[in-house]
Amino acid sequence: KSKKNKSKMKILITGGAGFIGSHLSEKYLESGDEGHIIDDVSTGSLDNIKHINENKNFSDNFYVTIDPILNEERMCELIEDCDKVIHLAAAVGVKTILYKPLDSINTNVLGTEIVLKYCNKFKKKVLVASSSEVYGKQNKAPLVETDDVTYGSSDKLRWSYAVAKLMDEFTALAYYREKNLPVLIVRFFNIVGPRQTGRYGMVIPTFIKQALSGEPLTVHGKGTQTRTFTHVDEVCDCIVKLMETQNAVGEIINIGGVEEISIKDLAERIIKKTGSESKIKFIPYNEVYTPDFEDMPRRVPSTEKLKSILGFAPKKELNTILDDVIHYFKNNKIQ
Ligand code: UDP
């Protein structure tokens, strides 16, 4: 049954079998659109989209291509065939960036170049997913889209992710300014929710898994570093609306939540919420990943720009977000 009186739009979501992409695919399918995804199932997985594939209301409108975005021929075909593109495919997670640096840089720089090149060829509107990581070692709060950035030296691989995403932003804006391609860029602030895995370093699924299995929660450094977590559902609502408004074209826009928390407090809160017997284990930074690992001390978004464009921004409290993820872990018996 068609819920809305409108013609079907074909949306292409790169990274559609990823954590964010799978939620976004559902949103578009629910509003009666066609969802095309391309995913190499590297950090994403077919499990993330199993329930979408099996949903009879969706299956006629949902098309999955398993391929890397570096496959130009495939990207050309898909982009030509769709109406709009949301580019989420990327190498993500601190672990991926540190231990697979070359693949990560190629996917995050060349991959985006390919997406933008074919979006420009067929003049398709495109959203490029960037990250709050681009703010680098900034210690100010809140972070505003026009703020300066500072990174560590190039022998510290962590920063390759920020630089790659920044290059994606430059390239997207260049296509907008020189070729009139309708692009928009969003900077995500620590998005969390069901289906996110801790396998690539992400802290909330890691802590919840540890708490539920009675293992110590591994807090890096002293745990004074802060983050502002954002629920994936609210992020997807913002993306859908941003894709519809002309005011977002050519803009860089933060998408982030409301509650700043230190990682130590986060660990304590998760232990309490899960009723776990787990203790906290502090791991010195130099023992976590590589000896010269550098972290971002603080990350709080300004969402003024987002609000001025959409009239709203994510506002879920951290407690609600954590309850949702804990529920997901318990319900799905995730090991
Ligand atoms: N972190 C932690 N223990 C873990 C995983 C992550 O203390 O097991 C910390 C990490 O060092 C960082 C914060 O939690 O300060 C957020 O890490 P994540 O990798 O989730 O996101 P990002 O660093 O990209 O913000």
Side-chain angles (χ1 to χ4, degrees), residues 59-70:
S59 46
D60 288 348
N61 291 331
F62 188 54
Y63 307 90
V64 180
T65 303
I66 307 289
D67 240 323
I69 51 168
L70 295 172

Side-chain angles (χ1 to χ4, degrees), residues 93-95 131-133 158 161 189-192 196 198 200-207 210 217-221 223-227 229 263-264 266-267 281 283 285 288-289 293-297 299:
V94 176
K95 274 191 194 164
S131 167
S132 52
E133 184 89 4
R158 185 218 174 100
Y161 181 73
F189 282 70
N190 292 78
I191 305 180
V192 295
Q196 185 179 43
Y200 310 102
M202 284 76 163
V203 66
I204 285 190
T206 303
F207 281 0
Q210 290 167 334
L217 274 66
T218 51
V219 169
H220 300 165
T224 52
Q225 69 275 29
T226 73
R227 294 294 187 269
F229 296 94
I263 298 304
K264 179 168 172 281
L266 176 71
K281 184 175 168 195
I283 305 181
Y285 274 122
V288 178
Y289 297 117
F293 181 73
E294 286 185 321
D295 197 9
M296 293 179 67
R299 226 188 245 178

